[in-house]
């Protein structure tokens, strides 16, 4: 198939370029074989269908690096800050997710909504169960979304009806890895020690070992909230800081996604950098739960920082909304610190949600832009929705998309060359 349209393509300098009246061609397996403006250069053109979308703008599909499937019904519900919110809103909802039919249907809903918002690849937490996590994988398969899914590893410090043993966590994780993990497929397992307050050192060490031995990614939460920090320091009195707890568990490496990372000192940022681990910024959640403000502009040149929705602390599955939140949060940081620092630009926000996130997943040879040999994962936006003037820069167009469409569906989403919405 060949698409004739206008494209926003992330480049190698954390920004994007705008190409008007270009061709994107891909084969029956959804692999891109041409991106350019010369129709006669398109190879293997066997009576391929040509689709004129010149009234649209096309972007690489978005990548959501952090969200919680069972928490979708909690969006906008509940008050207070992280620890109380988890106890009062979240853990009961995650218990409900043990019902297999409920888990399957809710997972379908989450993936469908994500696709409508333009996400083609999602990294998600399930709850702590086997059957429920299995249902989430089934739903991802049925929705044709690319997904990393993990059962939340939790073995201590929990209410009775949630408590599971370390051995139980290990046993079901092994079963899920065996059933679902594939290094090259659309569905991948991700090891998910939830965070230091509910996952024992023994279980974290096990997850780290399996991650390294099998090249499986690992995700957790880090330094999101000040009360959380205090509790971690109480629990691990002999360990100098929160990041060092994870370092001693062995879970800091280049396959690691650390959500939030708001309250890190210079030493902690340095450890994360030296281990090649990644931070995932979740700005809408950081505001909803009053967790704090990530010093994004200062940190992004030191460690890789991706972007995720973190539903249900986050208020939407829309990565376009999350980009807006990331930009606005970087301005709020400048206001509260009384500095006139740069804030995150619109084009860099789009770069992060596409190419940047693909690099963090080490999938930048497969997704994230329109390079030859990559997957035709892209989203289409009708230009009429953007009220564009003439002579706009690529950053202006990016900004229009982010501010006019935050929390709105895109017009269509393609995954592996197939229209899924
Ligand atoms: N830390 C541990 N679990 C969670 C969770 O579910 N959401 C958020 N925002 N932070 C967490
Ligand atoms: Fe989270």
């Amino acid at each position: 198939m060949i698409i004739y349209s206008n494209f926003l393509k992330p480049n190698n300098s954390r920004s994007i370029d705008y190409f008007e009246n270009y061709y994107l061609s891909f084969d029956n397996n959804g692999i891109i074989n041409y991106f350019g403006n010369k129709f006669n250069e398109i190879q293997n053109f066997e009576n391929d269908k040509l689709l004129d979308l010149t009234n649209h703008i096309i972007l690489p599909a978005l990548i959501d690096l952090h969200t919680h499937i069972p928490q979708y019904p909690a969006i906008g519900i509940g008050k207070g800050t992280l620890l109380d919110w988890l106890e009062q809103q979240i853990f009961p909802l995650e218990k409900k997710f043990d019902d297999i039919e409920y888990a399957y249907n809710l997972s379908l809903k989450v993936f469908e909504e994500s696709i409508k918002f333009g996400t083609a690849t999602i990294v998600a937490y399930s709850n702590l169960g086997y059957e429920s996590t299995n249902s989430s994988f089934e739903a991802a398969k049925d929705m044709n979304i690319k997904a990393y899914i993990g059962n939340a590893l939790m073995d201590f410090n929990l209410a009775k009806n949630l408590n599971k043993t370390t051995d139980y966590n290990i046993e079901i994780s092994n079963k899920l890895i065996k059933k679902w993990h594939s290094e090259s497929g659309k569905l991948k397992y991700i090891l998910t020690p939830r965070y230091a307050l509910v996952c024992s050192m023994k279980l974290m060490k096990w997850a780290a070992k399996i991650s390294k031995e099998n090249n499986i990614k690992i995700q957790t939460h880090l330094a999101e909230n000040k009360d959380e920090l205090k509790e971690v320091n109480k629990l691990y009195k002999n360990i100098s800081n929160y990041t060092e707890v994870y370092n001693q568990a062995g879970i800091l490496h280049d396959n690691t996604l650390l959500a939030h990372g708001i309250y890190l000192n210079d030493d902690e940022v340095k450890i994360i950098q030296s281990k090649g681990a990644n931070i995932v910024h979740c700005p809408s959640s950081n505001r909803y739960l009053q967790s704090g403000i990530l010093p994004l502009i200062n940190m992004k040149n030191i460690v890789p920082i991706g972007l995720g929705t973190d539903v249900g602390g986050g208020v939407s599955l829309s990565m376009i909304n999350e980009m807006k939140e990331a930009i606005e949060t970087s301005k709020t940081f400048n206001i509260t610190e009384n500095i006139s620092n740069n804030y995150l630009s619109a084009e860099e926000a789009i770069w992060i949600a596409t190419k940047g996130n693909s690099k963090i997943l080490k999938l930048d040879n497969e997704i994230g832009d329109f390079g030859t040999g990559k997957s035709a994962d892209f989203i289409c936006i009708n230009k009429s929705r953007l009220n564009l003037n003439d002579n706009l820069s690529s950053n202006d167009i990016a900004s229009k998309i982010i501010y006019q469409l935050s929390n709105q569906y895109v017009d269509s989403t393609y995954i592996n060359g197939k229209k899924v919405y």
Side-chain angles (χ1 to χ4, degrees):
M1 184 171 187
I2 301 167
I3 297 205
Y4 183 50
S5 187
N6 314 296
F7 297 84
L8 279 176
K9 182 175 184 280
N11 58 33
N12 290 326
S13 321
R14 301 185 69 92
S15 60
I16 53 176
D17 300 310
Y18 186 54
F19 298 98
E20 256 181 327
N21 301 326
Y22 262 55
Y23 297 94
L24 178 72
S25 163
F26 45 91
D27 66 21
N28 289 336
N29 298 318
I31 302 297
I32 297 171
N33 50 31
Y34 182 77
F35 177 71
N37 61 355
K38 299 197 173 57
F39 186 76
N40 59 8
E41 281 181 359
I42 300 174
Q43 304 284 319
N44 307 323
F45 173 50
E46 301 148 1
N47 299 322
D48 247 342
K49 212 164 93 187
L50 178 74
L51 186 61
D52 186 330
L53 288 176
T54 42
N55 57 347
H56 283 67
I57 293 178
I58 294 183
L59 281 73
L62 309 174
I63 301 166
D64 184 347
L65 280 193
H66 180 98
T67 209
H68 298 259
I69 301 163
Q71 296 181 21
Y72 181 73
I75 290 179
I77 299 284
K79 52 188 184 343
T81 53
L82 179 67
L83 301 181
D84 289 341
W85 172 82
L86 282 172
E87 290 293 330
Q88 284 157 23
Q89 299 294 331
I90 297 306
F91 290 151
L93 251 188
E94 294 198 3
K95 183 76 195 153
K96 201 171 161 191
F97 201 71
D98 277 337
D99 178 318
I100 305 172
E101 205 177 310
Y102 171 82
Y104 176 77
N105 288 327
L106 183 55
S107 302
L108 276 187
K109 174 94 190 141
V110 165
F111 297 137
E112 184 187 9
E113 185 88 351
S114 295
I115 286 170
K116 287 179 173 176
F117 281 128
T119 295
T121 301
I122 190 164
V123 183
Y125 285 56
S126 169
N127 72 350
L128 50 59
Y130 173 79
E131 297 291 349
S132 48
T133 307
N134 188 57
S135 300
S136 292
F137 272 109
E138 296 280 1
K141 189 173 81 179
D142 293 345
M143 286 305 298
N144 282 310
I145 196 167
K146 296 179 178 175
Y148 294 75
I149 302 170
N151 50 308
L153 299 173
M154 301 159 75
D155 66 340
F156 84 116
N157 213 5
L158 289 150
K160 258 210 181 79
N161 69 350
L162 279 168
N163 235 345
K164 299 281 185 201
T165 63
T166 309
D167 286 346
Y168 171 86
N169 278 275
I170 291 175
E171 185 193 320
I172 70 160
S173 304
N174 279 329
K175 265 168 72 181
L176 288 163
I177 291 170
K178 208 165 178 185
K179 179 155 183 199
W180 290 106
H181 187 64
S182 125
E183 280 200 34
S184 56
K186 283 168 84 171
L187 301 178
K188 297 180 171 79
Y189 181 81
I190 181 165
L191 288 147
T192 306
R194 184 175 197 134
Y195 73 147
L197 293 184
V198 298
C199 187
S200 67
M201 186 53 96
K202 184 177 171 199
L203 189 51
M204 288 195 284
K205 283 187 169 165
W206 173 81
K209 178 168 156 279
I210 296 298
S211 166
K212 284 179 206 154
E213 283 175 3
N214 301 282
N215 198 25
I216 297 178
K217 293 198 188 300
I218 192 162
Q219 62 178 345
T220 188
H221 295 88
L222 169 67
E224 171 180 3
N225 166 289
K226 285 184 178 164
D227 294 329
E228 172 201 13
L229 241 62
K230 271 188 214 147
E231 293 299 316
V232 172
N233 290 337
K234 253 196 252 167
L235 197 60
Y236 291 101
K237 285 198 182 72
N238 299 324
I239 299 183
S240 55
N241 58 53
Y242 196 165
T243 305
E244 194 51 37
V245 171
Y246 288 159
N247 192 29
Q248 294 198 9
I251 63 178
L252 300 183
H253 52 70
D254 63 357
N255 264 327
T256 305
L257 309 185
L258 303 161
H260 306 281
I262 299 172
Y263 300 104
L264 300 174
N265 64 33
D266 291 349
D267 289 344
E268 293 180 276
V269 174
K270 264 189 214 140
I271 305 173
I272 293 168
Q273 180 193 32
S274 70
K275 296 288 175 181
N278 307 282
I279 302 273
V280 181
H281 185 27
C282 304
S284 84
S285 166
N286 291 346
R287 180 152 61 172
Y288 188 76
L289 295 174
Q290 302 174 74
S291 299
I293 301 177
L294 182 80
L296 173 70
I297 299 295
N298 301 342
M299 278 172 72
K300 74 183 170 71
N301 297 323
I302 309 173
V303 289
I305 300 187
L307 195 61
T309 58
D310 196 27
V311 161
V315 300
S316 162
L317 286 164
S318 164
M319 282 298 291
I320 299 183
N321 183 61
E322 211 59 43
M323 291 182 223
K324 187 182 95 177
E325 292 272 353
I327 295 169
E328 297 302 305
T329 299
S330 73
K331 294 178 186 171
T332 304
F333 180 78
N334 293 349
I335 297 169
T336 57
E337 299 290 310
N338 201 16
I339 50 176
S340 55
N341 213 341
N342 288 332
Y343 55 85
L344 183 67
S345 72
E347 60 182 336
E348 189 169 356
I350 289 186
W351 185 90
I352 291 172
T354 54
K355 188 140 182 132
N357 279 356
S358 79
K359 279 172 170 290
I360 285 176
L361 292 176
K362 293 198 235 156
L363 288 181
D364 49 319
N365 57 349
E366 286 180 37
I367 55 173
D369 68 20
F370 306 120
T372 305
K374 298 186 189 184
S375 289
D377 292 4
F378 58 90
I379 57 179
C380 308
I381 292 167
N382 198 311
K383 279 167 97 176
S384 66
R385 299 169 69 193
L386 299 174
N387 301 313
L388 298 175
N389 299 325
D390 292 337
N391 297 322
L392 292 177
S393 67
S394 54
N395 188 59
D396 291 335
I397 297 169
S399 197
K400 278 286 192 184
I401 290 172
I402 291 172
Y403 284 92
Q404 298 225 173
L405 299 188
S406 83
N407 238 352
Q408 289 185 39
Y409 294 152
V410 299
D411 290 283
S412 49
T413 303
Y414 286 73
I415 302 181
N416 287 345
K418 302 238 160 29
K419 190 171 176 180
V420 290
Y421 164 63

